[in-house]
Amino acid sequence: MHNRMYERAEEIVKVIEGETDRKNWIKQVENLQMLGVVPSSLMCREEKNNSVSLAGLIYKDGKELAAGLRKYWINDKAKQEYCGKEALLIKEKVLIGTEFTFHHKDFHFDLNDLEKNNPRKGIDVGNRIIADWTGKLIGTYGYKKSLSHLKVTATNTGRGRKKFENAAYSAVEIEFCIEDTVQEKVVNWKVNFDLDPVCIELQTQPMPYQFFQDYGFCIDELLFHHIGEYGLTADKDPATGGGGHISLDARTAFSENAAYLRNFLVLYSCEAKREALKSALTEVQKKQLTKSFLTERQRQLLIASKDSVNAPFLFEVIDEWRPFQNFVSAFDGSTEEPMHITRFVQGMHSSVYINVTDDLARLLGGAGKVMTEDKQHYQAVNLEHVGDQGRIEMRRFDAQENVSELLDQLDALFEILLMARTNWKISIDKALESDYFAG
């Protein structure tokens, strides 16, 4: 749970305190349960003598009920305990897959070149770098080389995966075994070295935030500190470099709850929209930005990447923002409770992801060449793999230069996720005004 939920909960308790109609007491308790600050399993019902019962306790008026709520659920101790617990749970349980990308001056290949083995675009250079890089890792970390309190080994699994199986280059999957002598545990982590347009792409085995935080210095040493030896850079220019895409595991991030994903998309889109269009805001609207649950730095991170061709926000694509609003409204009015997350994704694909940017259409050969799968794929939030791989790809991030940058990006995403994990449906219009739990 997020601190903002408790702020809204206290507002609701104040309403109960001054309310005389017990039916409204029950309605407001249901709102607290929808927020998540009061367990949904607790029965709240009308009793004799114009009283209500909650969790077996009888309350004769709004003041008594408000006092009971503050005693057991709506107080600073509960807020600190449950908000801290939820934030830690997200960092420990939500699985994150990353795509670390590295560019070389001789890389000019696109997907078509990779598929058709065009040798003149630098594919051979990329192939050679993958072989040299992975070979050096295996040679250097052949058997438990120490990095501080860690003992690391690197082995070729023989299961390198290429995006195009018939392509001439070779992908290599390395399994790193990290033996932590302080925490007395062993962690295995697989990284696939592949080619993607204009870059070498490292697709990593999904791991929790805590893994990247605990072993960031080790990952930097293995994957970032020596890229200059191969003529590689973590290029943040969307025209010449790859993106630093981040995948969130749908099950551990959203618990298969469509309402959580709905809120996440609303919050992510609204925060990005306000920050991106800040220069056009009125002074009143700019002041409202200070009420955001994200810091200014976190909002800036959301829009730091300028890759609007491959990963446009909904408000950057013609005919997608209004359909998004309409779809969310239809979802909120649905009688299917709870809607499964895959049904929600199907609706997003059919009703919202219906276009691409003009720039991408030109790159694809014109509007007539744009396929349905292009519209679903080239979005800031790619949902096409929820059904088959169980992941949501956040595409609007530049190539990371180190793990610290990744953690900063994850901090922003996890703050949104923490706010989103409630059955209270956050209004798009109100979120644009920083009034997240209106109603």
Side-chain angles (χ1 to χ4, degrees):
M1 283 175 280
H2 197 281
N3 286 328
R4 289 296 180 93
M5 296 178 194
Y6 279 90
E7 292 176 11
R8 180 67 181 114
E10 178 54 34
E11 293 173 3
I12 293 173
V13 172
K14 287 180 180 178
V15 171
I16 293 174
E17 200 169 25
E19 180 61 67
T20 58
D21 187 337
R22 59 180 175 174
K23 286 186 171 60
N24 286 335
W25 300 345
I26 294 172
K27 181 179 178 181
Q28 296 299 343
V29 169
E30 289 173 350
N31 283 338
L32 293 172
Q33 291 174 322
M34 191 181 303
L35 271 175
V37 297
V38 172
S40 59
S41 58
L42 298 182
M43 180 73 72
C44 184
R45 61 188 180 188
E46 296 183 55
E47 302 289 350
K48 296 178 181 179
N49 302 320
N50 200 34
S51 62
V52 299
S53 63
L54 176 62
L57 298 176
I58 302 297
Y59 298 99
K60 296 179 181 179
D61 56 37
K63 289 184 178 179
E64 277 192 10
L65 178 55
L69 288 165
R70 289 191 178 106
K71 180 178 180 179
Y72 295 109
W73 296 289
I74 318 299
N75 54 63
D76 287 341
K77 181 180 178 181
K79 179 172 71 171
Q80 291 172 7
E81 178 181 353
Y82 290 111
C83 290
K85 184 186 296 183
E86 184 79 359
L88 182 61
L89 186 68
I90 286 175
K91 288 188 174 183
E92 290 180 340
K93 300 297 184 182
V94 175
L95 298 177
I96 304 142
T98 62
E99 294 178 8
F100 297 132
T101 57
F102 304 95
H103 180 64
H104 189 282
K105 63 180 180 59
D106 293 333
F107 291 172
H108 305 290
F109 45 82
D110 57 23
L111 284 175
N112 189 56
D113 295 318
L114 289 172
E115 185 176 14
K116 296 184 178 179
N117 298 321
N118 186 338
R120 299 189 301 274
K121 297 293 189 72
I123 296 175
D124 55 339
V125 177
N127 191 30
R128 185 169 63 251
I129 291 174
I130 289 177
D132 292 347
W133 190 357
T134 55
K136 184 171 183 179
L137 283 168
I138 294 168
T140 303
Y141 299 94
Y143 181 73
K144 292 185 180 179
K145 179 179 179 180
S146 293
L147 287 174
S148 183
H149 63 286
L150 308 178
K151 295 179 180 179
V152 182
T153 58
T155 56
N156 185 346
T157 69
R159 297 180 180 178
R161 303 177 305 281
K162 294 184 288 188
K163 294 195 173 181
F164 298 103
E165 286 303 315
N166 296 327
Y169 71 92
S170 298
V172 179
E173 183 183 70
I174 297 290
E175 181 169 24
F176 295 102
C177 178
I178 304 173
E179 183 178 341
D180 189 330
T181 59
V182 171
Q183 298 190 50
E184 297 184 338
K185 66 179 181 179
V186 175
V187 181
N188 293 296
W189 185 49
K190 296 176 182 176
V191 179
N192 190 60
F193 292 69
D194 193 12
L195 293 183
D196 205 32
V198 302
C199 69
I200 288 178
E201 178 179 286
L202 274 54
Q203 303 139 4
T204 72
Q205 176 185 345
M207 299 294 276
Y209 177 105
Q210 206 68 47
F211 166 79
F212 294 100
Q213 185 175 58
D214 289 348
Y215 304 115
F217 74 96
C218 177
I219 298 168
D220 281 344
E221 176 63 27
L222 296 171
L223 304 181
F224 288 94
H225 287 173
H226 305 289
I227 59 174
E229 298 175 16
Y230 307 102
L232 298 173
T233 60
D235 189 351
K236 297 183 183 297
D237 186 340
T240 56
H245 303 162
I246 299 170
S247 288
L248 301 176
D249 175 60
R251 182 182 60 82
T252 52
F254 302 101
S255 304
E256 304 294 349
N257 187 333
Y260 291 1
L261 178 56
R262 170 222 179 274
N263 283 342
F264 181 85
L265 291 174
V266 166
L267 291 169
Y268 175 79
S269 301
C270 288
E271 294 299 303
K273 183 176 184 178
R274 287 195 300 162
E275 188 63 26
L277 305 179
K278 187 162 62 175
S279 61
L281 297 180
T282 65
E283 290 305 313
V284 173
Q285 290 171 323
K286 288 179 182 177
K287 189 173 182 179
Q288 288 171 340
L289 276 175
T290 62
K291 300 178 183 178
S292 170
F293 69 101
L294 295 178
T295 66
E296 182 177 5
R297 170 63 179 156
Q298 288 172 333
R299 292 197 310 272
Q300 290 172 349
L301 280 173
L302 296 184
I303 66 164
S305 171
K306 304 307 177 186
D307 194 5
S308 59
V309 175
N310 289 296
F313 295 114
L314 289 166
F315 55 87
E316 293 176 328
V317 186
I318 295 175
D319 296 331
E320 284 198 348
W321 184 257
R322 179 58 63 183
F324 177 56
Q325 292 176 304
N326 293 339
F327 174 71
V328 167
S329 178
F331 170 84
D332 293 349
S334 172
T335 57
E336 182 184 344
E337 290 287 349
M339 180 186 288
H340 195 272
I341 197 169
T342 54
R343 284 284 306 279
F344 180 88
V345 170
Q346 289 168 2
M348 283 289 295
H349 283 160
S350 62
S351 303
V352 182
Y353 289 165
I354 56 177
N355 215 334
V356 296
T357 61
D358 290 341
D359 288 338
L360 181 58
R362 282 191 289 272
L363 288 174
L364 295 173
K369 297 289 183 68
V370 177
M371 308 293 286
T372 298
E373 52 266 34
D374 296 322
K375 299 171 185 177
Q376 296 175 4
H377 181 80
Y378 293 106
Q379 303 285 342
V381 184
N382 172 5
L383 302 172
E384 64 184 335
H385 294 299
V386 171
D388 58 352
Q389 299 175 18
R391 66 182 178 89
I392 291 165
E393 184 184 45
M394 310 300 297
R395 295 173 53 82
R396 193 62 177 261
F397 290 106
D398 290 325
Q400 295 89 4
E401 296 181 14
N402 49 54
V403 174
S404 179
E405 284 191 1
L406 171 68
L407 291 174
D408 285 344
Q409 294 162 350
L410 290 176
D411 283 337
L413 288 179
F414 279 13
E415 193 70 13
I416 297 173
L417 184 59
L418 185 62
M419 186 83 149
R421 283 159 59 123
T422 170
N423 287 313
W424 187 290
K425 296 181 177 69
I426 298 169
S427 162
I428 293 177
D429 292 338
K430 294 299 183 181
L432 287 170
E433 301 172 358
S434 298
D435 190 5
Y436 303 103
F437 298 107

